[in-house]
Amino acid sequence: MISIEKVRQRAEADAGTYGYFLHPDPKFLQDLLEGLKLNEERYGYPSCPCRTASGVFEYDRDIFCPCDYRDPDVAEFGCCYCALYVRKDLYEGKTPILPIPERRPKWKQERAYSAMYAPPAPSPAEVSVSREVTSQAAKEAPVSKKLWYCGQCGYVVFREDPPYVCPICKAKREMFKEIDIRIYVRNKEN
Amino acid sequence: MDIVKVEGKRKNHRVLMYALSTCAWCKMTKQFLKDNNVEFEYVDVDLCSREDHEKIRKDITKRGGDINYPTIVVDDKILITGFRKDKITEALQL
């Protein structure tokens, strides 16, 4: 079981790396960290405390904290969806911290929901158990991954869709291109 | 479905909130309603069975909302997505 301190240290370290700050209100921050801890215990990964996870690893991957949407959200609105990560002006109280719109595409939400509803509905007492079973079975969930490279710095990543922001050089998603690999087999003539 | 009722002196509106037990914005919204003495009911969707979860999702969609939490339904007609203090204040005449 992960400790709340470990969850906090991980978030602090990540905020430091990216030049962000954690939510300035200690109570709000504590609630978020406890939510992350609970989700990690539930699903085996720290999915966003302010979104519903499906328990299917591949379908929740984009909402593992820090989620795919954090960087564009902090750039545009000053904070991420749950407001764990905030920009300096919000941390210092110069700009208010307000709820922001959901950037996660609807089709990803729908896909996760449909995976959740696929098995027969259990009674509430069975929920935690059956979620574990689902997550075990669904580690093989069919997600079509591709190789993408950043046209600016050359960073290569193997995932379903390109990142919103390059983690190396901060180039935007539009700079990413798919790597098209073709393998030719030459027949020996003899 | 496990609906929790929070007593309050302001009972002039029926307030139902769909929330997540892990979400800080949802906690903040619950606290805001309590601080304003609003009587309300809430459901922590992540603690519901799959069946109830699906019912809630359909209910929000039917009302034209997105599946985001907190979602507040006032008097069975006004839908407020997210902790929008201005909209909550207006709908509940706080």
Side-chain angles (χ1 to χ4, degrees):
Chain A
M1 193 185 288
I2 190 164
S3 72
I4 194 80
E5 257 328 289
K6 184 77 191 160
V7 178
R8 182 189 296 273
Q9 282 167 11
R10 202 167 54 190
E12 279 172 351
D14 202 65
T17 304
Y18 285 84
Y20 301 144
F21 294 81
L22 299 185
H23 197 289
D25 177 353
K27 169 78 173 64
F28 193 95
L29 178 60
Q30 184 70 17
D31 286 344
L32 287 171
L33 297 174
E34 280 171 9
L36 276 171
K37 178 181 184 298
L38 184 61
N39 277 349
E40 186 151 352
E41 285 161 12
R42 278 174 175 168
Y43 307 114
Y45 42 80
S47 66
C48 176
C50 295
R51 293 177 168 113
T52 31
S54 66
V56 180
F57 184 90
E58 288 293 353
Y59 293 167
D60 292 340
R61 190 186 276 267
D62 61 316
I63 56 165
F64 290 4
C65 184
C67 67
D68 279 11
Y69 316 102
R70 179 191 65 175
D71 295 337
D73 279 344
V74 176
E76 186 173 349
F77 302 108
C79 65
C80 66
Y81 183 69
C82 71
L84 174 61
Y85 294 99
V86 303
R87 214 169 47 203
K88 195 179 180 192
D89 52 317
L90 282 82
Y91 179 77
E92 290 174 344
K94 291 173 185 162
T95 312
I97 303 174
L98 298 170
I100 65 162
E102 172 63 294
R103 190 183 294 269
R104 189 183 195 203
K106 284 233 169 64
W107 68 268
K108 283 201 179 180
Q109 297 181 38
E110 292 295 330
R111 183 174 67 178
Y113 288 131
S114 59
M116 269 174 99
Y117 302 138
S123 66
E126 291 172 317
V127 167
S128 60
V129 177
S130 53
R131 270 190 178 154
E132 273 174 34
V133 173
T134 313
S135 73
Q136 283 300 318
K139 282 191 175 139
E140 304 298 324
V143 167
S144 149
K145 292 184 193 170
K146 296 167 182 170
L147 276 169
W148 304 89
Y149 75 97
C150 172
Q152 187 163 287
C153 72
Y155 165 74
V156 174
V157 61
F158 183 59
R159 41 179 277 159
E160 191 173 20
D161 38 19
Y164 282 81
V165 178
C166 173
I168 305 299
C169 73
K170 312 292 175 214
K172 288 189 178 167
R173 170 173 260 192
E174 293 72 41
M175 288 301 288
F176 277 86
K177 293 185 183 74
E178 193 184 333
I179 300 178
D180 185 13
I181 299 176
R182 291 167 201 220
I183 299 169
Y184 294 97
V185 180
R186 200 166 42 183
N187 287 329
K188 279 185 181 174
E189 290 177 288
N190 57 2
Chain B
M1 197 181 299
D2 195 10
I3 299 177
V4 182
K5 185 167 184 171
V6 180
E7 303 283 343
K9 283 179 188 162
R10 288 178 195 260
K11 303 171 195 281
N12 47 335
H13 294 283
R14 183 164 186 258
V15 182
L16 172 66
M17 176 172 147
Y18 294 130
L20 297 176
S21 71
T22 50
C23 168
W25 287 109
C26 297
K27 282 187 184 152
M28 206 181 213
T29 312
K30 287 174 189 167
Q31 195 57 48
F32 177 75
L33 293 174
K34 281 180 196 166
D35 291 346
N36 282 283
N37 242 314
V38 176
E39 184 159 297
F40 68 101
E41 291 178 321
Y42 72 87
V43 184
D44 281 329
V45 182
D46 56 320
L47 304 179
C48 286
S49 67
R50 282 167 211 272
E51 256 178 342
D52 287 341
H53 196 154
E54 191 165 11
K55 271 185 210 159
I56 291 164
R57 194 174 145 253
K58 280 184 180 159
D59 185 49
I60 297 174
T61 313
K62 187 186 76 190
R63 294 170 193 277
D66 291 325
I67 315 292
N68 296 327
Y69 302 101
T71 285
I72 301 169
V73 184
V74 181
D75 295 328
D76 213 25
K77 54 184 180 192
I78 305 169
L79 188 110
I80 304 166
T81 308
F83 178 48
R84 296 290 307 273
K85 221 189 254 189
D86 51 341
K87 289 197 176 176
I88 300 170
T89 307
E90 190 191 332
L92 302 177
Q93 292 119 21
L94 298 176

